[in-house]
Amino acid sequence: MDWQPFPSLNQAPAPFLQQILQQAQRHRFAAGEWLVQEGTDCGALALILSGRVRVFKMAENGRAITLYRIGPGESCVLNTACVLGGGRFPAWAQVEENGEALLVPAPLARQWLEEEPAWRDYLFQLYSQRLMDVVLLVEEVAFRKMDQRLAGLLLEKAKGEQVEATHQALADELGTAREVVSRLMHNFTEHGWLHTRRGTITLSNIPALRQYADSGRM
C-alpha cells in the first residue's frame, strides 16, 4: 500500500504500518452513503484511501452548512475527537465520491496515540489543519456577506467557466435557504457575471466575481 498521501504515517516504521493494515478493516463506500450519522458512536477512526466525504452540520429546519471535506490521505477530526475523547459524532458525514477507507478500531487508535510517535504526529497535524479550516469558516460566516460568500463558492467550484451545481446544493454549502441563493444568483446575472441553465452555471465575468468576493464592491 502507498502511504505517501498520509503525512507522518509515510515516515512510520514498516512494522507499524503493517500492523495498521492487519488490524484495520477495509471499507468501501458509495456516493450518497452516510459514512457517519450525527449522534452515533465512533467505534473506529477512518483513514480515507480514496473518494471524498463531506462533513456538515444540519439544523432542525433542514438547513445545512459544510464544515469541511476529507479526501485521500486524510481523516475527519470530529471522528478523531469522538474516538479519543468518547461521546457521539456531532455532525453528519456523507460520501460525495466512491472510495475506500481503513477503519482503525477505537481502542487501538487510543493505544497507538501513546505508543507510536508517527501516529501521534499524524493526529496532531490533522487537528492543526482542521482547526484552521473551522476558524476560517467561522470568520467567513461572521464577517462576510452572503453574496460575497456565494461569489467565492462559485469560483471555488468552477472548472474553467462552468459550475455544475443546483441552487439547493449551493445553499447547503453556505448554510442558507435556496431562495436566498436564487435571489443572489439573479443579481449576479443582472450584472452580467454569470448565466444559468438546469444545474449548470456559466461564469461570464470571473474577474468581477473575484473582485466582489474579495472586496464586496460591485
Side-chain angles (χ1 to χ4, degrees), residues 119-197:
W119 182 253
R120 186 163 55 248
D121 289 347
Y122 170 71
L123 295 184
F124 285 170
Q125 287 182 19
L126 172 66
Y127 267 103
S128 176
Q129 178 58 50
R130 290 307 177 200
L131 179 59
M132 290 301 300
D133 290 343
V134 173
V135 167
L136 290 174
L137 175 62
V138 171
E139 182 180 80
E140 181 173 289
V141 171
F143 301 119
R144 293 181 74 198
K145 297 189 299 181
M146 184 61 69
D147 48 0
Q148 287 180 271
R149 294 177 59 207
L150 176 58
L153 180 61
L154 291 171
L155 292 168
E156 178 186 325
K157 286 184 166 294
K159 296 179 180 178
E161 296 180 347
Q162 305 296 314
V163 178
E164 300 292 335
T166 64
H167 289 193
Q168 184 62 61
L170 294 171
D172 289 343
E173 290 278 349
L174 297 169
T176 189
R178 180 185 58 79
E179 293 78 11
V180 173
V181 168
S182 296
R183 175 174 53 81
L184 296 176
M185 293 286 284
H186 178 71
N187 291 342
F188 290 171
T189 300
E190 287 192 330
H191 280 84
W193 295 351
L194 55 81
H195 57 272
T196 64
R197 60 178 179 80

Side-chain angles (χ1 to χ4, degrees), residues 14-100:
F16 174 58
L17 296 180
Q18 188 60 34
Q19 186 179 4
I20 295 177
L21 294 177
Q22 290 174 347
Q23 299 290 340
Q25 175 188 358
R26 282 184 177 261
H27 172 69
R28 293 186 180 276
F29 47 77
E33 176 183 336
W34 293 110
L35 193 61
V36 190
Q37 297 188 45
E38 185 171 12
T40 58
D41 292 323
C42 295
L45 190 154
L47 306 178
I48 304 298
L49 304 178
S50 60
R52 186 173 66 167
V53 178
R54 174 185 174 227
V55 181
F56 62 97
K57 286 289 292 183
M58 184 183 298
E60 291 183 0
N61 63 6
R63 288 191 189 177
I65 185 169
T66 300
L67 300 178
Y68 51 82
R69 286 178 168 83
I70 51 176
E74 298 179 323
S75 297
C76 172
V77 70
L78 294 178
N79 177 209
T80 306
C82 183
V83 164
L84 299 182
R88 299 179 182 274
F89 194 71
W92 299 81
Q94 188 172 33
V95 179
E96 291 188 324
E97 296 177 2
N98 297 350
E100 187 177 20

